[in-house]
Each structure stands twice: as structure tokens, then as C-alpha cells.
Amino acid sequence: MNRRLGVLISGRGSNLQALADAIREGRLQAAIAVVVSNRADAKGLERARHAGIDALCIDHRGFTSREEHDRAVVHELQARGVGLVCLAGYMRLVGGPLLDAFPNAILNIHPSLLPAFPGVDAQRQAIEHGAKVSGVTVHLVTAELDGGPIVLQRTVPVLDGDTPETLSARILAEEHRAYPEAVQVILEGGWRVDGRRFVRSVSAASA
Ligand code: GRF
């Protein structure tokens, strides 16, 4: 698979940083071709530029529809030969143009064990529900919000004294390990999507 990544962000960009660190340290054989933010004030844009990565803002407020904004994002990704798109705190629904341009080639990371607690504030949802275990999910992106085939999950305990902030911090540390691993799994190939399921061939899974 084409190992050129396009990372889409809206804010802090700590998962973007984790991907960049994993590449630098040789844990992930890939290159970040471009970082695109829909917000000009995203801290992640600074991180990208600091790491010498091409980074640009495509502000969604300059477009009349989601499709039009998506098409502009697709244009920039394709112009740089991106093969895999990684959503990393991208606070936008992904629409048809992106899904069509990158079939089964868009990943997202979500701070819960999906299908529990999709959408925003997943850590607060887990605490308020009284869950004893939450975690991290990396999944392929489909038109269903936080609903695509699950590539990888990691569990994180929910402690009695947890606040959304303390649980988020514990989950985030796990996210930073999980995302580079999941990207590596995708890039290595030897997998297929079977209905809702992401399935690795036996040889790929034991590698
Ligand atoms: C992470 O918790 C991620 O799971 C969720 O948004 C947050 C982004 O954090 N989708 P960062 O911008 O990568 O620091």
C-alpha cells in the first residue's frame, strides 16, 4: 500500500505527534505527506511545521457545503500522492467526496471501546454510564459516525475517582501507542473487510 499519509486535524494534534514520532523512531514505515486542519488555530499545525511537515489550513467556513470542503481537502491530499488518510482529532463528519476518493483508506481514532460511547465526550460518557473499562478504538471510516470496521482496540480501566480529565489522560497515552500500530497494520496489507469485520490473514496477524 502507498505509505504516504495525510493527517487531518482540528486541534491539539498529539496523535499526529505520536505518528510523526513513531515514523522518526522507525516503529512505523511511512511518511506524513501533509497535515490538513479545518481550523487555523489548531496547535497541531505548529507541531507539524516544527517537525518539517507540509501543513495547511482549509477552513470549512469558507465553503458553502460539506461536499465542497471535502473536495478541496481531497484535492490537496491527491496532489501530494496520499494513500492513507488518518483522522486525528478531526472534528468534522467525513462526507462522500473523501469516502469515494479513499475507499477503505481512511482511519479514525476514538477514545472509547466502540460501539460504546460514539460521538463527542466519549470519556465523560463512559464515566457517567458507570463503565469499569473503556479504551481506544482505531477503525476504518465509513459514512456512519464512529461506526466503521474495527482495526484495533486497547482497554483502559475506569477508576472510581476518575474525572473526564484523568480518564482522558490515561486513554490518550494508550492512543499514542495504538495509532501508529494500527497504521502499520493497514500499510502492511494482508487484510480484508468482511461485512462489519476487519479480518487479517493468519500470516499477517502472527507477524
Ligand atoms: C483524541 O482523544 C482522539 O481519540 C479524538 O480526539 C482527540 C484528539 O486529540 N478523536 P489530539 O488532537 O490528537 O491531541
Side-chain angles (χ1 to χ4, degrees), residues 11-16 88-89 108-111 123 172 175:
R12 184 176 55 183
S14 70
N15 279 290
L16 157 69
N108 182 42
I109 185 159
H110 183 78
Q123 302 92 335
L172 193 64
E175 290 186 43

Side-chain angles (χ1 to χ4, degrees), residues 74-90:
V74 167
H75 178 80
E76 298 298 339
L77 297 172
Q78 289 181 334
R80 291 166 179 82
V82 165
L84 179 66
V85 179
C86 300
L87 309 186
Y90 186 59

Side-chain angles (χ1 to χ4, degrees), residues 185 188-191 199-207:
V185 165
E188 273 167 10
W191 54 268
V199 186
R200 296 177 79 186
S201 62
V202 175
S203 54
S206 60

Side-chain angles (χ1 to χ4, degrees), residues 12 110-112 117 119-129 134-135 158 163-165 167-169 171-172 175:
R12 184 176 55 183
H110 183 78
S112 76
F117 315 128
V120 294
D121 263 344
Q123 302 92 335
R124 182 184 298 276
Q125 290 184 56
I127 291 172
E128 288 180 354
H129 191 88
S134 190
V158 181
T163 62
E165 291 70 31
L167 179 59
S168 296
I171 290 176
L172 193 64
E175 290 186 43

